[in-house]
Amino acid sequence: MTDTFPTFAAAVAKRLEVGAVTYGDRSFHRPQGELLGEIEDECLDLAGWGFVLWCRVRALRERAG
C-alpha cells in the first residue's frame, strides 16, 4: 500500500494547483468559520459518496449470488 502514496500525494498536489488557479489561494485568507463549514460539507460529501458506493457494491454482491 505504501507504494501508492506517491500517486495519492501527486493527486492532492494537482487538486491544490487547480484550486490555486480557480480560487487564487483565497482559502488561506478566509475566516476560520467558513473553512470549518467547508470541511463539514466535505465530510458529508464523503459519507454520501461512501453510501452510494456501498449500495452499488451490495447490488453487485446480490447479483453475484
Side-chain angles (χ1 to χ4, degrees):
M1 182 172 307
T2 58
D3 60 329
T4 59
F5 186 77
T7 303
F8 172 76
V12 170
K14 182 66 177 170
R15 298 266 306 153
L16 289 171
E17 290 172 17
V18 169
V21 170
T22 304
Y23 303 108
D25 282 340
R26 289 181 295 215
S27 293
F28 288 98
H29 306 289
R30 289 175 65 186
Q32 289 179 354
E34 287 182 19
L35 293 177
L36 291 171
E38 290 286 341
I39 291 169
E40 287 175 338
D41 288 346
E42 293 298 329
C43 289
L44 293 171
D45 286 346
L46 286 170
W49 283 115
F51 177 70
V52 169
L53 182 57
W54 179 81
C55 290
R56 293 182 69 179
V57 168
R58 278 188 61 106
L60 285 170
R61 184 180 300 277
E62 288 174 8
R63 285 195 299 268

